Amino acid sequence: MQTALIRERYEQVLERISVAEKQSGRKPGEVRLVVVTKTHPPDTVQAAIAAGAWELGENYAEEGVSKMAALSAMGAEVSQVRWHMIGHVQSRKAPLIARHFDLIHSLDSVKLAHRLNQAAIDLQHKLPVLLQLNVSGEESKFGLPAWEQSKRDGLCETVAQIQDCSHLIIQGLMTVPPFFEEPERVRSYFRRLREWRDFFARCFPQADWSQLSMVMSGDFEVAIQEGATLVRIGTAILGVRT
């Protein structure tokens, strides 16, 4: 029953993404769905994998790694799964995250960049990352300060330092916008992220700025219209978290 329900929801969200791509003039398949599995138990995640989800997002390092181990022990087909770290990363967790996650959405400081870079060097692999920007100015939000144009010089200095990390691969930007009941009220924050991406692409053309990671379940059509390439959706597929 659970697998069937999750499959139905997953396919409904994929269809909504497809419609939004078409309506926005985007190429089919340009937007990737990251199913947010944080706080959901392994059996729920296994159902999501069985439904076809292979890009999964976790917020906490230990919870994610524990879940990976549990899924493997359960015999879940995880060989194709790409694990996304979408939550705030503490610097001391850098080695654990670098070892187990395929894409870090939430790189938000030079200190963390250096820690992740050293961990990647120790593991002898390159680590793809997104830079998390705080585009709203909310004190409750993590991210590099990007809520006004006056932050440009400081952000450029930060990006330059991160780009110098030999084993980090910048692939784009991520943000967590304020929560509003009306999705249209979030549009300006997604647009601001896209504008920052265009600015960085001009200033640092040697880096890859192709990915824009945006949220949430209730506003992803707006995110797609504003350029999202990664949409992080949990509740609409897996139900309310426990």
Side-chain angles (χ1 to χ4, degrees):
M1 178 67 74
Q2 182 187 44
T3 299
L5 179 59
I6 288 176
R7 184 185 300 276
E8 179 182 3
R9 291 170 173 167
Y10 179 71
E11 291 176 351
Q12 288 173 347
V13 169
L14 287 178
E15 177 60 24
R16 287 174 62 187
I17 289 173
S18 178
V19 170
E21 285 178 326
K22 184 176 181 180
Q23 292 177 341
S24 305
R26 307 282 298 275
K27 295 178 181 178
E30 187 176 333
V31 180
R32 291 153 54 196
L33 170 58
V34 179
V35 178
V36 179
T37 54
K38 68 173 185 179
T39 75
H40 286 286
D43 60 330
T44 299
V45 182
Q46 184 179 34
I49 295 170
W54 62 278
E55 301 214 52
L56 307 179
E58 287 286 330
N59 278 52
Y60 307 105
E62 287 90 346
E63 178 189 342
V65 172
S66 175
K67 206 170 291 181
M68 294 173 199
L71 287 164
S72 295
M74 293 164 63
E77 181 50 63
V78 295
S79 61
Q80 299 300 313
V81 171
R82 283 177 49 84
W83 292 95
H84 297 244
M85 171 49 64
I86 62 176
H88 177 64
V89 176
Q90 296 174 307
S91 295
R92 63 186 178 86
K93 305 288 180 62
L96 185 68
I97 289 167
R99 180 178 296 277
H100 293 282
F101 287 87
D102 300 292
L103 176 61
I104 315 303
H105 289 229
S106 45
L107 176 52
D108 63 358
S109 71
V110 173
K111 177 183 177 181
L112 176 59
H114 288 161
R115 293 285 182 86
L116 288 170
N117 188 59
Q118 186 57 56
I121 290 172
D122 294 342
L123 292 165
Q124 298 184 344
H125 71 221
K126 298 294 181 74
L127 185 63
V129 299
L130 306 180
L131 308 185
Q132 181 175 355
L133 300 190
N134 180 343
V135 297
S136 67
E138 294 176 280
E139 292 185 2
S140 61
K141 295 286 193 299
F142 292 104
L144 297 167
W147 52 86
E148 55 189 27
Q149 295 297 310
S150 63
K151 306 294 184 182
R152 280 190 170 190
D153 289 347
L155 276 174
C156 284
E157 292 178 10
T158 297
V159 172
Q161 292 181 67
I162 294 173
Q163 189 173 244
D164 284 341
C165 292
S166 62
H167 280 56
L168 299 186
I169 305 172
I170 297 175
Q171 294 191 339
L173 303 175
M174 181 272 258
T175 197
V176 179
F179 174 78
F180 296 110
E181 292 290 347
E182 305 84 8
E184 193 61 34
R185 295 183 64 186
V186 190
R187 183 181 297 277
S188 63
Y189 300 99
F190 292 151
R191 181 174 298 147
R192 191 172 299 166
L193 188 73
R194 174 167 49 82
E195 290 170 349
W196 276 113
R197 186 273 309 277
D198 295 343
F199 170 72
F200 289 139
R202 293 192 298 271
C203 295
F204 302 94
Q206 62 273 48
D208 174 11
W209 300 99
S210 60
Q211 302 301 319
L212 290 178
S213 173
M214 300 180 183
V215 72
M216 300 166 52
S217 292
D219 58 26
F220 68 85
E221 279 96 350
V222 172
I224 290 169
Q225 292 165 13
E226 293 299 332
T229 61
L230 294 162
V231 290
R232 313 185 304 271
I233 300 172
T235 303
I237 297 170
L238 302 182
V240 178
R241 301 182 184 95
T242 56

